[in-house]
Structures are given as C-alpha cells and as structure tokens.
Amino acid sequence: VALGRDQRAAMAVCGRCGTVEAASPWPWRCRCRGLWRPQVGPFDPAAVIAGERSVWRYRAMLSLGDGPAVSLGEGGTPLQPANLDGVPVQLKLEYLQPTGSYKDRGMAVLVTALAAAGVTACVEDSSGNAGASLAAYAAHAGIQARLFVPQATPTTVLRQQRAHGAVVDRVAATRHEAAARAQAACGDGVAYASHVFSPFFLLGTMTLAFEVWEQLGRRVPDRLVLPVGHGGLLLGAYHGFTALQLAGLADRLPRLIAVQAAACAPLEAAFRRGEAGVAAAPPGPLGPTAARGVAVAHPPRGAEVLAAVRATGGAVVAVDEGEIRRAQASCARAGWYVEPTGAVAAAGLGRLVAGRSAPPESELTVVALTGTGLKE
Ligand SMILES: [Zn+2]
C-alpha cells in the first residue's frame, strides 16, 4: 500500500493463521484462505479532528496515511431520541448518508485505500446498497467499478449503480453466486473491493461506535440493535467499542443485538444452538424476504459475528416478514422512511418487547436504521 509520509499502516490479522500484515487490497484474503480482520489499537481522543463531522473526524484511528481521502461526506449521522414499541431509544440514522445506506462509512475508507494503492479497476458483489456505494466512491476516485448483483436486485438500485458509471452484471441467480463471479473476476490489477472481505470496510464502519460514544456524551450505550447479514456494521461497531475500551474510555462493551430475517437466519440458528460458526448447509429452507440486504445464507465472517455478540453478552434474534413490514410501517408513520432491511433492527426491538425481554427504561438502547426507503 502506498502510504503517506511517516504514517503507520493499518494492520490486518488473519483470523485463521494469525499472520499480521499491513492491510492492502492484495491479496484479498490470506494465503491460507483465512479472512483479514483489522487490527485495532486504542482510541485516541486527542487525535479526533474537531470541526470535522464525517468519518474523517477519526482519520488517525484509520491509519490510512496522509493521502487524500475519497469522501462524499459520509458518517456524522444524527442520533435521534425516539419511542419504539413503548421503549425509549436513540435512533442512529445511518440511512442519511450520500448513497442512502450505512455502507458509505466502509466504502469511503475502502476506496481511499484502493486509491492510495494506485488501483484503477475493481469488482464487488452486492445485494444492492454496497454496490451502489462502491459505484459512487469509485466514480469519485476515478476508479472503474464492475458489480456482480443477483437477478432480484431492484431496478432503482441498478439505476443508481449505473448512474455512477459502474458496469453491472446481473447474471447471478443468488447472492452467493454473485460473490463467486466477483472473486473469479478480480486479480491482474483488478482489486476485489469487497464489503465482506476487506478489513478497510470494517475500519470505516468502526466509526459508528466512536460517533455514538461522542453523541452520548462519551458514554457507551447499554445495547446496540443492528440488522445483520454479513455483519459489516456489527463487526465494525464491535471493533470501535473495543478500541474505546482499550483506551480506558469505556468500562464495558454494549450488548450487541444482531437481528436477522427469519427467512434467512443462519447466525440466529447457530447462536441458538450454541455453535461457534455457521453450518455449511443453510439452516432449513430459505424463504424469500423483503429484507434483501440481510439475506445472507453463508456469511464468511459468521464465526466473527457470533464471537463478538457473545463477548458482549448480546444475542442474535430473528424476525418474520410480518414483523419487518410492521416495523417499517411504524417507522414511516413516525416519519422515518426506511427500506425493509433498514427496519430490521426496529423489528428486532419489537421482538424483544414481545418476548418480555424489553430493555428496561433505565437502559440506553441505540437502534440503527440503515437504508433509505427511497430505493424500493
Ligand atoms: Zn492466514
């Protein structure tokens, strides 16, 4: 990675063999086929850039050198008090980002790293939002992007991806097949700009934790409720709160409540059975779900997600299609227009309430609304 002057590089550690290397677009996974995780150090409050409101406020924690940031103004999302299902919560409005989803946090950092490494072409697979986000950031950086999406990707999202100049391949029948096609197309100078595999993406989503901590007056919440498919937001948040704890700025981690669509809930099944990882075969029949963004049958970072959830005393819960639709409708009637995936965390909170495990009023609960309803 071409880094700026006298800067420490972001480091990545292989989750399988423990190799530690400077994070780089190449190779996209370790030679042992393990996945790179970001190696996160303590949060440094003195290095926060006052007056900067985007994710670049925490630039020193991203260890990307001092080259130009590829930024569209991502991050800095509101934390808004609300009442959901009778529970006072703080809503983290992640859908208010340049391309309409939380993915922009990760893509800004990932594409900055690609640009610093001199990458001119990249590929990615996505159910929609990650591809749209990559298309926008790659366009801004002058990098050619080719996206592999499943056939079911909505026209509005395809239009968004193509408007930014991405070449879109929608031949794949499934999300899994789209990933295989992208992996076959990278190499020979074409980077795999994966929101699933790249440790840079998780460095970007880590900033959510820093923002929440600052917005709560330097406190960690008691619970953080998030939609989980691949776990990109949950893992980033976990690393971010861990960085705060390593710095002695938090005495504990928030309980991470990972919410999946019941139609495709491999992490929920593994959590319920006490398993360390996700079974190779999908847990039972996979039904269709309106929450396309979390319909991931084989999450490569599944074991990492399960370990993070357990380390925080959290839980993985599944919500059915009716619960997702009702949560989306109640968010809309309260004024927040989110897509079904964006309402999955709100549905998860409703599930906790219905199951009589609602967070007590004395607890501080943050619920992430992750994708705008305008994409549907
Ligand atoms: Zn390895």
Side-chain angles (χ1 to χ4, degrees):
V1 183
L3 290 162
R5 290 170 280 112
D6 58 85
Q7 291 281 334
R8 68 212 156 97
M11 301 303 284
V13 57
C14 172
R16 188 169 173 188
C17 73
T19 295
V20 179
E21 286 184 9
S24 154
W26 290 287
W28 59 268
R29 62 182 166 186
C30 181
R31 285 155 195 87
C32 81
R33 299 171 72 89
L35 273 60
W36 297 116
R37 302 172 185 177
Q39 198 177 48
V40 175
F43 182 83
D44 178 4
V48 171
I49 301 171
E52 174 59 61
R53 290 188 60 192
S54 73
V55 303
W56 303 99
R57 179 179 176 82
Y58 310 107
R59 178 166 192 141
M61 270 60 79
L62 305 176
S63 306
L64 284 174
D66 55 5
V70 179
S71 177
L72 297 170
E74 55 290 328
T77 58
L79 188 67
Q80 186 69 18
N83 191 295
L84 289 183
D85 295 301
V87 181
V89 298
Q90 300 278 338
L91 297 179
K92 186 65 172 159
L93 304 183
E94 287 294 284
Y95 69 99
L96 299 178
Q97 303 218 34
T99 76
S101 85
Y102 88 84
K103 298 289 198 319
D104 292 352
R105 288 183 190 276
M107 282 303 175
V109 173
L110 171 51
V111 176
T112 294
L114 296 185
V119 168
T120 57
C122 64
V123 295
E124 159 74 310
D125 47 276
S126 162
S127 62
N129 286 338
S133 183
L134 174 66
Y137 284 89
H140 196 70
I143 295 173
Q144 184 190 67
R146 189 169 168 208
L147 306 175
F148 295 87
V149 301
Q151 285 157 8
T153 305
T155 313
T156 43
V157 178
L158 292 172
R159 200 177 293 140
Q160 183 185 18
Q161 294 168 345
R162 289 179 173 138
H164 294 303
V167 175
V168 183
D169 178 322
R170 60 186 300 204
V171 172
T174 63
R175 180 70 189 76
H176 195 59
E177 189 189 328
R181 290 175 67 86
Q183 287 163 17
C186 68
D188 287 332
V190 178
Y192 186 22
S194 173
H195 67 291
V196 181
F197 290 95
S198 174
F200 291 111
F201 187 87
L202 298 180
L203 285 172
T205 55
M206 183 174 75
T207 59
L208 173 122
F210 304 153
E211 275 178 28
V212 166
W213 177 76
E214 287 204 289
Q215 287 170 315
L216 292 174
R218 298 192 158 204
R219 284 176 64 194
V220 295
D222 296 295
R223 293 181 205 230
L224 178 58
V225 189
L226 303 157
V228 172
H230 282 110
L233 189 58
L234 182 140
L235 289 171
Y238 175 74
H239 287 304
F241 285 114
T242 300
L244 289 162
Q245 194 180 37
L246 286 172
L249 296 166
D251 58 3
R252 63 192 160 76
L253 301 173
R255 288 178 187 215
L256 297 177
I257 310 296
V259 189
Q260 298 215 283
C264 184
L267 293 165
E268 188 271 339
F271 181 81
R272 188 164 22 86
R273 296 172 189 155
E275 291 164 359
V278 173
L286 299 181
T289 173
R292 289 173 298 100
V294 290
V296 179
H298 305 279
R301 294 191 186 275
E304 288 174 55
V305 171
L306 290 164
V309 166
R310 289 182 175 124
T312 67
V316 187
V317 299
V319 290
D320 65 30
E321 294 302 295
E323 290 173 299
I324 293 168
R325 286 294 180 194
R326 280 194 294 280
Q328 184 188 21
S330 65
C331 283
R333 279 198 283 275
W336 292 288
Y337 196 55
V338 292
E339 63 180 353
T341 306
V344 160
L349 182 79
R351 168 55 66 102
L352 295 181
V353 172
R356 304 219 172 108
S357 48
E361 291 219 358
S362 57
E363 285 200 2
L364 195 47
T365 298
V366 172
V367 178
L369 301 185
T370 49
T372 175
L374 296 174
K375 297 207 190 200
E376 279 257 290

